[in-house]
Amino acid sequence: MRKNRSAGIFGGLMLLSWLTIPFIGRQHIKRYLSSTMFISFLMMVESYIAEKRSGGYFLILLIHI
């Protein structure tokens, strides 16, 4: 039950963040798109390295507790 509730809250927060995009404005989206893409790329690289080194194993243990 707890896992489903957490997933619902997480999904709701993701939906809420996507619904705010029309209110931001085109100028701000263009302004911050490059930095957003760069940070997203860095996070993907960091996740790949952590997965190869089993760095994410500790995080998985924390989630299941």
Side-chain angles (χ1 to χ4, degrees):
M1 180 72 177
R2 185 176 184 188
K3 188 174 183 180
N4 291 337
R5 184 174 180 201
S6 297
I9 292 172
F10 181 68
L13 289 174
M14 280 184 51
L15 181 66
L16 180 66
S17 67
W18 278 101
L19 290 175
T20 60
I21 288 179
F23 301 113
I24 293 174
R26 183 170 285 205
Q27 180 184 6
H28 294 293
I29 291 174
K30 285 183 180 179
R31 182 177 181 182
Y32 295 112
L33 184 63
S34 59
S35 61
T36 303
M37 296 299 284
F38 180 70
I39 294 298
S40 297
F41 176 73
L42 284 180
M43 293 301 294
M44 286 191 321
V45 170
E46 180 185 10
S47 297
Y48 177 76
I49 292 171
E51 186 176 317
K52 289 294 179 185
R53 292 186 175 187
S54 298
Y57 183 71
F58 182 69
L59 181 61
I60 293 170
L61 287 177
L62 285 176
I63 291 172
H64 288 293
I65 291 177

